[in-house]
Amino acid sequence: MQTKRILWLYNHSTLIKSEVALLRELGYEVYVPKVIPFDVSVAVNWESDRLLSIPEEAIEVLNKVDFYGEEIPEEAMAVMNEYFGMAIFGTFIEPLKSIAAHYKGIMIFHPFGLEDGASYTETIMLSAGIWLMKKLEEAGRRFWFGQSYENLMEIECDFFKRRMINLPIGMRDTVIEDRWRGNNGKVLFICPRIKINTYYEKIYKDFKTNFNGIPHSIGGAQPIPVEGDKTVLGYLPQKEYDDLYPSHSVMYYHSTNKRHVHYHPFEAVKCGLPLIFMGGGLLDKLGGKDLPGRCESIKEAREKCRRIIKGDKRFANKVRQSQGVLLEKMSYEYCREEWRKAMQFIEENSDTAATEKKSKKIAVIMPQPYLGGVLDYTLRLLKAFAKSRQVSGDDINIVFAVPEIMMPDQYEHIKEVEEYGISIRTFSWEEADQRRIKELTSLLGYPLNLYRQEYMLMNDGISYFQDCDFLLFMADRVAPNLFLTRPYGVVIHDYMRRYVPEDLPQKYESAIMDLVRNSACNFTTTETAAEDCIQYVGAKREKIHFLPLFFDDVSRCEYEEGVKKREYFVWCTNINTHKNHKMALRALTEYYQEGGRLHCYVTGVNTDLFGNRATPEGRQLTQKQCAYIQEIKNIVNSDRLLKKYVHFKGRLPKKNYYSIVRNAKFMIHPGMADNGNGAVVDAAFLGVPSISSDYPAMRNRDEALKLGLMFFDKRDEKQLRDCLLYAEGNAEQMKQQLPTVEELRKHTIDDPDVCRKIYHTIIQYAFM
Amino acid sequence: MKIGMYLGYAPYIKPMSLKQEGLGRYLAFLTKGFIEAENKLTIACPNWVVPLLDELFDEEGIDTSNVEILTSTSEPVLFRLYVKWINRSRKPKIRRHRVKRAVISGMDWFVDILLRSKNMATFTLLIMICGVIGVLALPFLLALMLRYGVLRVVRLFLKILHINSGTFSVRNLIRKIPRIEVLIAMIQNRYSGLAIQEKIRQYSTDEIIRKAARMKNSPDVWYSPTAFWGEFNRFPGVRVICAPDLVTTEFAFKFSQGSFIDATRKISETIAEGTYFITYCEYLKSNLLLGKFFKGKEDVVVVPHAQNDLMPFLDLADYFKRVPFKEDVNYYFARNIIMPGIFSSSVNMHRYLIQPDSYQNFSFKDVDYLFYPSQVRGNKNILNLVKAYEHILRERNIPLKLILTCNLNNDKELLNYIEQKRLQYDVLSFNSVTAQQLAALYMCARLVVNPTLYEGGFPFTFGEGMSVKTPSVMSSIPQVTEVMQGYGLEDYLFDPYDYLDMSAKIEKGLKNRDELIAKEQVLYDQLKNRTWKDVCREYVQAFEYFINRSNENEVQVQN
C-alpha cells in the first residue's frame, strides 16, 4: 500500500499532542511546520521529521517555510506535491493562496472558529478577494471543510456547507484526575497576553470590573508584565504552576462565543476544579443548559463563585460532579473515531485527477489608451511572453485587452501581436451600484456586503473576463473601485507624482493605490519603483517581483540615411511638466549664448505644439496642459537664439524618428524622474550617445546596460550647458563609450533568456 | 526629611486621570523616589485630587503608608450636583420595533389565509371578520397615533412655522424669545465652567493653606512641581518651585493664536513671587530665572530628568527563548503594532489619517520613516521639519515617509502646506497613541528627528529613541548642546531655522546610521545610568541646600 502522508500545518501546543498522534494512529505520516508564528502557545515537533519516509533534503526545504505569513515558495510546493497527498491547514491567508493555486493534493481546511459575527467565507473574501473562494471551489472534490465544532457551518456559504466534514478538536488526555483542594479562597481566571493583545486586554478589564471585590488570581502567560496588579500571576515556577488549578477554589470562564472556546475550562474540569461559566457559548453545546456551574448573568456568576469561596462544599461538589460531561466530546477516543470516519470519507470521495483544469488563460490589460512608452512596452512583453510560451509548450491562452476607444484607430498598430497567437479584445468601464454587486456575489455563491456605493466593472462584451484565470494590468491607472473576481497583477512603471506633485483627483489616487495594494502580485523593473511601491503605496515587499529590463532592437528598423542639412542633437520628450522643459530651455539659451551651434530637434507626442506651426485643434488636451504649452511657447518666442536653433517636430512615424535619431550628434534627456527613459536606449542601438539628468532609475539603467551616459544635475542648467558644450566637441569620443549592438541585444526579446525570465516570473506568481 | 508637595488641580467636571498627564507620571516617579529613600511625604491637595492620586499610586504600585494627605473638605453641594448632571449616563435607546413587527406578522398571517381560502363563502366571511376587527381596533389605533404621532405632528408644525429647524426642545423654544439669548450668553460667560471651577479651587486652596499653617509637625520644605499655582507662595516655611519653560513668551507670535495669556501670567507671577527654584537644565536657569526674572544664582538648582526606557513595552525576547522566532521578535512585534488590522492592539490608522480611505490594506511591514513625536506647539517647528522632509524626498530622492504624532487638525498652516504640496500620502500623523504604540513607532523608525526651537530641558525623544535602538538627529539649541557636546555628535545637530541644514543632517544620519547609533549609545549609556532614584536624591539634596540657605538668610536678617 502506498504511504499516506499528510501536512499538518499548525504549531498549536495542545493540538500538536492530540491531532498529530491521532493522525499517526490512523496510519499517516505527518509533517509539522518548524517556523513558528508570532504566538506564545506554540510548540515545534522535531520528532515528526524522523518518522517521515522522504529524503532529508525535502524535509529541509519544508522546514524553512513560514506556513503562516508568507506565500509558499515554488520549491517547497514541489516537495508538497511530490510527497504529500493531503494538507490540513487554517486561515493564514498567504499560504492559503499558494495552496489553493498550486497544491495538487487533497486540501482540508480545518479552522477553530471565529468571534461571533464573523464567518470564514467573509474573512477569506475580505482579505484575499472573491477569487480565492472561487479557486477553492474550482478544486472540486479535492477541497474539504473540516469543522472543529459542529456549528461552524451554520454561518458559512453553500459551497463550504457542501464540503463539510466533522474533524472535532480535543485533548490528548481527558481522564479526570481529581487533584482539587481549593484551599486558597480565590477565583481563578485565565487571561494571557494582556499587554500584547487588546482582545485579551478587554477581557481582563471586563473581568476586573465584574469581579471587583471578590478575591481572584489571573493566570496565563504574560510576556510583557502587567504592572501594578498583583492578582496577575505572570510567570510561575513549575511547582507553583502545577498547583495553580488544584489550589484555587473555583474557575470562572467568561466567553459566550458560540463558535470558539478556550482550552483552560477543560483543563479545569480535568483536574476537578469547579467551573463557573457564562451560558450562551459553545460550552452549552457540550454540556447542555442545566449544569449547576452555568450562569445566565454576571450577578449569578459572582454569587456562585462567592458561595464556593466561602466554603459551600456541597455546592462545589455538585458543580464538580456534573461538569465531567463537558469532556465527553473532547476525549481522544471520541475524536479518533470521528476523524477515522471523516478521513475514510475523504479518501473515498476525493478525486485529485478530474478537477485539474488543463488550459489556462491570461489577460494582459492596457487600462488606458496609451500610445507611447507603455504601449510599446506592453507589445514587447506580449511578444516575449508568447515566444516563451511556445518554447515551454504550456497550454496558456493569451488575451490582449485594450480600451474600446483605442479601436479601430490603433488596430493597425497593435494587430502585430495576433501573429504570435494572441487574441485581442476590447473592453469598457461599466458602473455598477452596490445592489448589483450584492446580487452578483450572491449569484456567484458568496454573498458579500460591500460598503462602497459605486463600483466599476470591466465589460469586455463577452464574459467580463470571467474566462481568464489571471489578469495582468500593464499600468495602474484604472477606474476607481474596480470590482474583480479574478486574481490580478499590476506592472508598475513609476511613481513620478510622489516626486513631482501632480493634480490627480483624490478618487483616482486612491484607486491606483488600492489596485496595487490589493493585487495578488506586482511586477516592476527597477529597485526605485519597487521601493516607492512599498514606501508610498504600502504594498508588501514579498509581492513585488522583478522583470528583466528589455527593449526593442531598433538597429534593425528601417530608416532613411538622408543627407544631413545641418548638425543637431535630439531631445525626445512630451508635454508633461516633469520633463523639465523650463530648466532645459534655460540651459539651451546659455548654451547658444556661449557659442554652441548645434541645432536641437525636439520630438515626442504633442511637442510640435511648443513651436509656432502646429495648433492644438483636434487633440485631447486639458486646460492646464494648454496653459503649460503656452508658457513654454512664450519662453521660446521671447528668445532669438532659441527661436533660431530649436525645432519642434512633434510625434513622428517610427521610421522618420529613427532616421532623425540616427543622424544626430547625441541625445539629451533632461527629465526630472521616471522609471528610466527608453529613448536613450534606442539612441544607443542607433549608435548615438546621450546626456541624461541624474536620478536613480537612469543610474540603474546606465549600470545595467553600460550605456556610458553623461549625467548632470536635473536642477542645474549650468551643468547641462557645460555638458552640451562638451558633447558638441567630443561626440565622436562619446560614441566610442557606447556598447556594441550585440551587447545591447542581450536586453531584447531576441534573447531567449530574457523571454524565459519574463514568462517564468509572471507564471510563477500569477496564482493561475 | 519631611517633604511637602502641593498639587492645586482645579476640580474636574469630566472624569479625569493623572495617569495620562505628563505631570502625573513625573509625580509618580518623584513620590516613589522620595519614599524609597525613606523620606516622609505630605501631599497637600484639594479633596477631588485624592482619588486621582489613589488611582495613580495604585497603577504605579506605590506603597502609600508613608504618604500623608492634607486635603480640603468636600466640594460644594451645588458643584457636586452639577458634575453629576453633566456626567449623567445617557443610555442609548434601543428601538425594538415590536409594534411594527407584530403588525407585519399579523398582516402576513392574514394574507396567507386569504390566499389559502378557495371557497367564496369562507373568503367573504374572512373579509367581514376583518372589517369587524378593524372597527373594533379603531380606538386603539387612534390611541397609538396619539402616543406616537402627536409629538411628530407638533414638530412638523413648528418646523413649518420656522420656529425650530433642529430638534424640538424646550431650551431651543425659550431661546427663540428675544433678549433671552443675550441673557443666557451673559450668564454663561460669567458663570462658565472654568470660572466656577477656579472659584471653587480658590476656596479649597485657601482652606488647605490655613490647615498647612496650623500643622503641628509641618514639613521641612514645601515643593510645587509646576509654577501654575500662584497660591503656593502663601505656604508657610521654605518653598521650592519647579520652574518650567516660558515658551509662550519666546514664541509669542505663534502662541498668540491660542489662549495662553492666563497661564503665562500665572506662571510669571508665581516665579516672580517665589524664592527657591528647581529647573531641568542650565539654559533655563541662566536664561529664564537669572536673566528674565532676576533671581539669585544661589537660589536656583538644576536637576535634569532621567531617561524614559520604552523597551519594557516591547520586550518579548525573554519569552521567546523557549521557541526561537524567525527574526528579531521585538522588532516583529513592534512592526505588527503599527500594521493596521494585524493585531488588535495595532494603531487604528483610520482615526488618524487625512484621507483614511486611501489607506485600505496599507502594509507598514517594510515602510521606512522619520519620526517626530510631539504636540502641535509654537516651539516645535514641525513645518520646517516637513519642508526638510520634502527636500529629502523630492530633491534627494530618498523614498521614506515622515510620521508625526501631533493632531494635524490643530495646525491649519501645517495641514495646508501638506495638502498643497501633495504630501498627504507621505506625511502621516498618529495622534494620541498608547505608550506601547509610541514605543513601537520609535523602534521601527529609521531616525528620530527633533526640530524643536525651544524646550524646558533636554528632549525626551533622544532617550526614548535610543532605549529601542533608534538614533536621533536634533536641533542645535542650548538645551540640547549642553548635554550632547563632547560625544562627537555635532555633525548630527542642525540649525532648526534652516530646513536645508536639517535635511542635510537627516540625510547624513540615514547614511551613517550605524555610526550614529554607536556614538549615541555612548551618551545614552551615560544618561541611562542616571535613574529616577538619582533624580529624587538630587531633589532631596537641593531641598536640604535651600533649607540651609533659608536658615542662613534668617540669621542674617536677625543680625
Side-chain angles (χ1 to χ4, degrees):
Chain A
M1 204 185 100
Q2 207 188 340
T3 323
K4 294 192 292 184
R5 287 192 207 95
I6 197 160
L7 295 144
W8 187 79
L9 302 178
Y10 306 90
N11 288 89
H12 192 286
S13 55
T14 315
L15 277 183
I16 213 168
K17 286 179 204 146
S18 61
E19 286 191 359
V20 172
L22 190 152
L23 283 165
R24 281 214 191 100
E25 256 185 73
L26 295 177
Y28 292 91
E29 285 185 10
V30 188
Y31 174 79
V32 182
K34 304 302 180 300
V35 179
I36 58 160
F38 182 76
D39 194 335
V40 289
S41 51
V42 290
V44 170
N45 187 338
W46 288 97
E47 191 214 30
S48 60
D49 287 358
R50 276 196 304 108
L51 301 171
L52 279 173
S53 60
I54 67 173
E56 253 173 57
E57 305 86 67
I59 299 179
E60 277 301 300
V61 169
L62 291 181
N63 284 352
K64 283 194 201 106
V65 180
D66 175 1
F67 285 101
Y68 296 93
E70 289 161 20
E71 284 167 22
I72 300 169
E74 221 181 353
E75 195 189 2
M77 187 55 81
V79 170
M80 286 164 65
N81 279 328
E82 187 174 349
Y83 297 108
F84 293 88
M86 282 189 198
I88 301 190
F89 49 86
T91 342
F92 297 94
I93 286 296
E94 298 302 328
L96 182 59
K97 284 182 196 168
S98 301
I99 290 173
H102 304 302
Y103 185 58
K104 305 273 192 303
I106 295 166
M107 307 183 238
I108 305 171
F109 180 45
H110 179 38
F112 310 142
L114 293 167
E115 283 293 282
D116 283 354
S119 73
Y120 285 101
T121 311
E122 214 175 55
T123 308
I124 291 174
M125 283 198 288
L126 291 179
S127 38
I130 287 185
W131 69 267
L132 186 52
M133 287 299 289
K134 281 179 73 100
K135 204 100 229 174
L136 291 172
E137 191 165 2
E138 278 164 14
R141 302 182 78 144
R142 288 193 294 125
F143 177 85
W144 301 95
F145 188 110
Q147 58 177 357
S148 310
Y149 306 110
E150 280 166 24
N151 62 355
L152 291 197
M153 204 44 64
E154 287 167 6
I155 50 165
E156 301 298 339
C157 64
D158 291 346
F159 151 55
F160 277 167
K161 280 186 184 140
R162 288 192 291 264
R163 299 289 156 73
M164 186 270 284
I165 43 163
N166 280 321
L167 293 178
I169 57 175
M171 289 155 77
R172 184 79 182 93
D173 178 13
T174 47
V175 178
I176 296 178
E177 30 177 307
D178 195 350
R179 295 190 288 136
W180 184 62
R181 302 189 312 280
N183 49 356
N184 76 356
K186 283 181 185 172
V187 178
L188 177 62
F189 186 67
I190 302 290
C191 187
R193 286 172 269 168
I194 296 168
K195 290 281 167 189
I196 292 191
N197 195 324
T198 38
Y199 164 75
Y200 283 115
E201 191 171 20
K202 183 169 185 303
I203 292 174
Y204 164 72
K205 282 191 174 149
D206 286 349
F207 174 75
K208 278 301 218 192
T209 352
N210 291 338
F211 277 70
N212 185 17
I214 298 179
H216 58 258
S217 332
I218 297 171
Q222 304 299 345
I224 290 180
V226 180
E227 303 272 340
D229 183 353
K230 284 175 191 138
T231 62
V232 179
L233 303 173
Y235 174 78
L236 292 175
Q238 191 64 37
K239 203 173 155 220
E240 278 178 53
Y241 179 78
D242 289 342
D243 200 40
L244 185 64
Y245 283 39
S247 63
H248 277 80
S249 306
V250 55
M251 174 184 274
Y252 168 69
Y253 182 62
H254 67 285
S255 173
T256 55
N257 198 328
K258 287 191 179 62
R259 291 181 190 84
H260 185 74
V261 68
H262 297 90
Y263 266 104
H264 58 263
F266 302 106
E267 304 273 359
V269 174
K270 200 166 123 27
C271 84
L273 172 62
L275 178 70
I276 301 296
F277 63 94
M278 294 301 292
L282 191 59
L283 290 183
D284 284 1
K285 295 267 170 205
L286 301 173
K289 294 189 177 175
D290 301 321
L291 287 181
R294 183 180 183 274
C295 307
E296 286 287 346
S297 65
I298 299 288
K299 201 175 151 210
E300 192 185 337
R302 278 177 63 105
E303 270 163 22
K304 285 186 175 168
C305 287
R306 254 213 188 103
R307 269 176 79 180
I308 299 180
I309 288 174
K310 281 191 178 152
D312 186 340
K313 284 273 183 246
R314 248 184 71 196
F315 178 62
N317 283 330
K318 204 172 135 198
V319 172
R320 276 152 42 80
Q321 276 151 22
S322 61
Q323 66 193 13
V325 62
L326 291 174
L327 287 179
E328 274 171 21
K329 284 194 171 176
M330 299 294 285
S331 79
Y332 186 74
E333 291 69 29
Y334 172 80
C335 289
R336 190 182 50 200
E337 187 48 28
E338 287 290 310
W339 276 67
R340 196 190 53 74
K341 278 191 271 177
M343 297 309 275
Q344 195 180 348
F345 179 82
I346 288 173
E347 281 177 15
E348 282 166 9
N349 289 284
S350 293
D351 186 352
T352 47
T355 53
E356 185 61 17
K357 193 178 156 193
K358 291 285 179 290
S359 160
K360 305 264 181 187
K361 199 183 272 183
I362 179 171
V364 174
I365 299 167
M366 274 249 301
Q368 300 290 333
Y370 293 114
L371 300 178
V374 176
L375 179 60
D376 289 346
Y377 183 79
T378 306
L379 295 176
R380 272 204 309 270
L381 184 117
L382 278 167
K383 289 179 209 161
F385 193 85
K387 273 184 171 183
S388 235
R389 172 194 60 174
Q390 213 112 39
V391 176
S392 73
D394 292 344
D395 189 3
I396 294 179
N397 293 310
I398 310 170
V399 172
F400 179 37
V402 295
E404 204 155 24
I405 42 171
M406 272 180 88
M407 299 292 234
D409 294 0
Q410 297 300 322
Y411 180 64
E412 273 304 305
H413 191 51
I414 60 177
K415 72 172 179 191
E416 50 176 309
V417 297
E418 285 180 340
E419 290 166 23
Y420 291 80
I422 296 166
S423 63
I424 297 175
R425 188 184 283 194
T426 61
F427 73 91
S428 56
W429 305 107
E430 181 177 304
E431 276 180 34
D433 58 5
Q434 206 180 31
R435 241 189 60 207
R436 180 165 171 205
I437 299 295
K438 199 172 172 190
E439 268 189 47
L440 204 166
T441 49
S442 303
L443 288 171
L444 286 171
Y446 329 107
L448 186 61
N449 281 320
L450 290 160
Y451 65 96
R452 286 192 172 132
Q453 290 304 313
E454 286 289 333
Y455 287 85
M456 281 289 186
L457 307 176
M458 289 196 326
N459 186 352
D460 59 358
I462 308 169
S463 68
Y464 293 77
F465 293 98
Q466 284 293 299
D467 56 323
C468 301
D469 297 280
F470 181 72
L471 313 179
L472 181 65
F473 287 95
M474 291 307 293
D476 54 8
R477 298 228 171 171
V478 296
N481 304 339
L482 191 57
F483 182 81
L484 297 169
T485 56
R486 284 292 172 196
Y488 68 89
V490 185
V491 174
I492 289 151
H493 299 282
D494 57 48
Y495 287 100
M496 216 132 52
R497 63 188 175 283
R498 189 182 189 204
Y499 300 94
V500 187
E502 168 192 1
D503 273 334
L504 195 64
Q506 162 68 33
K507 165 162 119 159
Y508 287 96
E509 182 105 51
S510 305
I512 291 168
M513 293 192 163
D514 270 357
L515 183 81
V516 173
R517 276 199 291 262
N518 297 319
S519 66
C521 51
N522 299 308
F523 301 98
T524 188
T525 50
T526 60
E527 273 296 338
T528 325
E531 207 55 37
D532 276 334
C533 194
I534 295 161
Q535 309 292 347
Y536 179 60
V537 180
K540 292 199 179 99
R541 193 182 288 278
E542 311 83 80
K543 287 200 180 168
I544 301 171
H545 311 292
F546 289 94
L547 294 174
L549 279 173
F550 71 113
F551 304 90
D552 268 330
D553 178 3
V554 300
S555 67
R556 288 181 186 157
C557 286
E558 286 176 50
Y559 49 84
E560 298 158 9
E561 269 307 332
V563 194
K564 278 187 206 172
K565 276 188 280 180
R566 37 166 107 102
E567 291 202 308
Y568 63 89
F569 62 88
V570 189
W571 174 11
C572 182
T573 179
N574 57 35
I575 56 163
N576 287 330
T577 50
H578 71 254
K579 292 288 181 182
N580 208 10
H581 302 110
K582 289 182 192 168
M583 174 268 176
L585 287 171
R586 281 198 301 274
L588 284 177
T589 307
E590 291 199 18
Y591 163 72
Y592 292 120
Q593 281 169 356
E594 296 273 322
R597 282 302 166 260
L598 290 182
H599 288 258
C600 173
Y601 283 14
V602 184
T603 68
V605 181
N606 288 333
T607 49
D608 46 338
L609 296 173
F610 290 151
N612 290 324
R613 289 189 198 152
T615 50
E617 267 96 61
R619 304 198 196 180
Q620 288 172 340
L621 294 173
T622 63
Q623 230 170 359
K624 238 180 161 165
Q625 285 172 321
C626 290
Y628 183 71
I629 290 170
Q630 195 54 48
E631 213 181 325
I632 300 295
K633 220 170 170 170
N634 291 344
I635 294 174
V636 177
N637 284 336
S638 64
D639 191 297
R640 188 181 54 83
L641 290 167
L642 288 182
K643 247 169 104 176
K644 183 175 170 196
Y645 285 107
V646 183
H647 311 277
F648 295 99
K649 302 276 184 193
R651 182 165 190 243
L652 300 169
K654 287 257 142 120
K655 195 173 156 188
N656 299 14
Y657 170 66
Y658 293 136
S659 310
I660 283 196
V661 174
R662 192 175 179 89
N663 294 319
K665 282 266 204 186
F666 55 87
M667 176 179 267
I668 63 168
H669 169 57
M672 302 265 248
D674 55 22
N675 196 29
N677 175 284
V680 296
V681 183
D682 290 348
F685 265 111
L686 299 169
V688 176
S690 301
I691 304 172
S692 165
S693 35
D694 189 0
Y695 56 87
M698 283 316 281
R699 285 271 174 196
N700 185 305
R701 190 153 291 194
D702 188 44
E703 271 164 39
L705 275 69
K706 314 241 168 350
L707 290 173
L709 292 177
M710 188 173 191
F711 286 109
F712 62 89
D713 182 345
K714 63 192 175 188
R715 307 210 172 245
D716 188 353
E717 57 252 34
K718 302 242 168 351
Q719 272 192 33
L720 176 54
R721 175 202 64 195
D722 294 343
C723 286
L724 288 168
L725 288 168
Y726 174 84
E728 182 173 354
N730 304 291
E732 279 312 312
Q733 239 171 298
M734 284 168 71
K735 258 184 200 178
Q736 270 151 34
Q737 304 276 318
L738 285 171
T740 60
V741 174
E742 280 68 41
E743 277 170 51
L744 285 171
R745 280 208 185 114
K746 285 182 194 152
H747 304 279
T748 65
I749 56 169
D750 291 339
D751 190 90
D753 244 17
V754 170
C755 295
R756 198 179 42 76
K757 257 188 213 158
I758 290 169
Y759 177 79
H760 188 77
T761 311
I762 294 174
I763 292 295
Q764 187 183 351
Y765 300 106
F767 293 107
M768 292 209 319
Chain B
M1 187 191 290
K2 202 166 176 215
I3 301 164
M5 191 142 59
Y6 174 63
L7 301 171
Y9 282 106
Y12 44 93
I13 294 170
K14 292 277 169 193
M16 182 181 148
S17 167
L18 282 178
K19 286 190 289 188
Q20 272 114 37
E21 297 258 314
L23 193 58
R25 285 184 64 79
Y26 168 61
L27 217 66
F29 283 132
L30 281 185
T31 313
K32 219 180 202 167
F34 288 153
I35 294 170
E36 277 172 11
E38 305 205 331
N39 296 291
K40 283 222 152 47
L41 185 65
T42 305
I43 295 178
C45 60
N47 69 310
W48 50 81
V49 181
V50 179
L52 302 184
L53 284 177
D54 287 344
E55 183 200 35
L56 181 72
F57 293 163
D58 200 39
E59 171 96 345
E60 300 282 337
I62 293 169
D63 176 23
T64 47
S65 54
N66 270 329
V67 182
E68 184 191 351
I69 305 275
L70 179 75
T71 180
S72 56
T73 42
S74 72
E75 57 269 67
V77 177
L78 190 64
F79 183 74
R80 269 184 291 174
L81 289 176
Y82 174 64
V83 170
K84 222 170 203 169
W85 182 71
I86 289 278
N87 292 320
R88 70 194 181 281
S89 61
R90 296 189 181 99
K91 278 184 193 153
K93 256 190 196 168
I94 303 166
R95 284 181 172 269
R96 295 216 175 93
H97 300 289
R98 255 182 286 183
V99 178
K100 204 164 141 191
R101 268 194 271 164
V103 169
I104 288 174
S105 64
M107 266 162 53
D108 280 354
W109 174 77
F110 185 68
V111 170
D112 218 36
I113 290 183
L114 279 186
L115 287 174
R116 277 159 192 258
S117 57
K118 293 167 187 164
N119 184 324
M120 193 60 187
T122 342
F123 182 75
T124 327
L125 194 70
L126 273 172
I127 292 290
M128 275 168 66
I129 291 174
C130 176
V132 172
I133 292 174
V135 171
L136 287 176
L138 205 60
F140 291 100
L141 278 176
L142 279 175
L144 270 178
M145 264 176 65
L146 276 176
R147 164 74 179 75
Y148 290 103
V150 166
L151 254 177
R152 237 174 247 187
V153 173
V154 169
R155 274 182 210 170
L156 190 72
F157 190 62
L158 290 173
K159 211 170 181 177
I160 291 166
L161 292 180
H162 297 287
I163 288 182
N164 170 33
S165 52
T167 48
F168 172 76
S169 75
V170 178
R171 201 203 305 182
N172 283 351
L173 208 62
I174 292 173
R175 274 176 192 250
K176 295 293 162 194
I177 301 167
R179 311 304 301 169
I180 290 267
E181 196 141 11
V182 181
L183 192 71
I184 290 174
M186 200 191 84
I187 293 172
Q188 270 182 351
N189 270 339
R190 182 136 193 90
Y191 301 103
S192 72
L194 274 177
I196 288 179
Q197 274 167 281
E198 183 54 29
K199 273 222 160 68
I200 296 173
R201 197 182 83 84
Q202 275 172 25
Y203 299 147
S204 297
T205 53
D206 289 348
E207 188 189 335
I208 292 165
I209 292 169
R210 279 200 302 277
K211 279 187 179 168
R214 287 202 302 262
M215 266 176 102
K216 275 191 197 132
N217 193 3
S218 68
D220 304 321
V221 61
W222 281 104
Y223 175 65
S224 170
T226 157
F228 272 120
W229 305 310
E231 67 279 0
F232 178 69
N233 283 319
R234 292 193 278 132
F235 267 78
V238 184
R239 294 177 304 270
V240 182
I241 297 168
C242 175
D245 54 79
L246 254 189
V247 65
T248 48
T249 59
E250 300 272 336
F251 299 92
F253 279 86
K254 278 263 185 183
F255 281 98
S256 60
Q257 286 168 318
S259 42
F260 292 96
I261 303 172
D262 264 2
T264 311
R265 186 175 45 79
K266 271 186 208 158
I267 294 174
S268 300
E269 278 174 14
T270 315
I271 297 178
E273 287 168 20
T275 32
Y276 302 124
F277 301 93
I278 286 177
T279 68
Y280 304 141
C281 72
E282 287 292 341
Y283 175 76
L284 278 186
K285 175 180 173 179
S286 59
N287 186 283
L288 184 76
L289 291 163
L290 273 54
K292 209 166 208 161
F293 285 94
F294 221 62
K295 299 292 173 188
K297 211 172 166 182
E298 295 79 15
D299 295 337
V300 187
V301 170
V302 176
V303 184
H305 285 316
Q307 301 299 309
N308 291 334
D309 186 1
L310 297 182
M311 198 49 138
F313 289 110
L314 304 172
D315 197 2
L316 299 172
D318 219 29
Y319 206 83
F320 272 85
K321 259 188 214 150
R322 195 173 55 88
V323 204
F325 194 64
K326 58 180 174 175
E327 53 187 288
D328 178 352
V329 69
N330 294 348
Y331 188 77
Y332 182 88
F333 179 43
R335 272 286 170 192
N336 273 290
I337 289 174
I338 59 174
M339 288 267 281
I342 297 288
F343 255 28
S344 39
S345 59
S346 58
V347 178
N348 179 2
M349 302 261 301
H350 287 240
R351 257 184 58 209
Y352 303 125
L353 300 163
I354 308 176
Q355 285 154 350
D357 206 32
S358 356
Y359 275 85
Q360 277 224 335
N361 294 336
F362 192 100
S363 163
F364 265 102
K365 193 164 158 281
D366 298 301
V367 169
D368 291 333
Y369 57 89
L370 303 172
F371 184 49
Y372 179 40
S374 83
Q375 300 281 318
V376 166
R377 289 271 185 280
N379 56 318
K380 296 295 185 187
N381 203 20
I382 302 174
L383 183 58
N384 240 6
L385 172 62
V386 171
K387 285 181 181 166
Y389 164 73
E390 188 192 359
H391 185 80
I392 285 176
L393 175 73
R394 293 191 172 150
E395 302 300 324
R396 309 296 307 154
N397 292 323
I398 303 177
L400 34 57
K401 276 183 158 42
L402 172 65
I403 294 184
L404 307 169
T405 62
C406 61
N407 186 347
L408 293 174
N409 289 318
N410 289 345
D411 189 341
K412 289 282 173 278
E413 191 188 0
L414 185 62
L415 189 64
N416 281 343
Y417 187 85
I418 292 171
E419 287 189 334
Q420 220 171 42
K421 297 283 180 174
R422 289 190 74 76
L423 287 167
Q424 67 266 48
Y425 297 97
D426 281 316
V427 179
L428 311 178
S429 190
F430 302 155
N431 59 327
S432 63
V433 287
T434 63
Q436 193 180 41
Q437 290 166 343
L438 185 72
L441 282 166
Y442 265 114
M443 185 180 256
C444 301
R446 295 300 295 163
L447 276 187
V448 178
V449 183
N450 192 329
T452 185
L453 299 171
Y454 182 95
E455 290 294 323
F458 184 60
F460 278 117
T461 53
F462 175 83
E464 290 177 348
M466 280 307 288
S467 69
V468 291
K469 295 272 179 294
T470 303
S472 291
V473 292
M474 307 170 87
S475 303
S476 175
I477 53 169
Q479 293 92 321
V480 170
T481 46
E482 71 178 59
V483 176
M484 279 205 150
Q485 64 192 359
Y487 291 89
L489 288 163
E490 290 75 14
D491 285 354
Y492 296 101
L493 301 182
F494 50 79
D495 175 4
Y497 293 90
D498 176 2
Y499 78 91
L500 287 177
D501 187 37
M502 200 188 295
S503 102
K505 299 294 157 64
I506 293 172
E507 192 178 343
K508 190 164 183 191
L510 289 168
K511 287 215 169 104
N512 309 309
R513 193 169 185 267
D514 291 340
E515 184 206 75
L516 183 59
I517 292 179
K519 280 187 174 170
E520 292 194 342
Q521 190 67 47
V522 181
L523 170 60
Y524 178 66
D525 287 342
Q526 293 260 315
L527 294 175
K528 196 175 62 178
N529 280 337
R530 187 182 153 78
T531 62
W532 285 100
K533 226 178 194 163
D534 300 314
V535 174
C536 289
R537 205 186 48 242
E538 282 175 33
Y539 268 90
V540 175
Q541 280 167 3
F543 293 153
E544 274 163 3
Y545 164 78
F546 286 133
I547 292 166
N548 287 337
R549 215 176 133 63
S550 151
N551 291 340
E552 278 166 28
N553 285 350
E554 258 171 50
V555 173
Q556 274 173 14
V557 171
Q558 277 166 12
N559 287 346

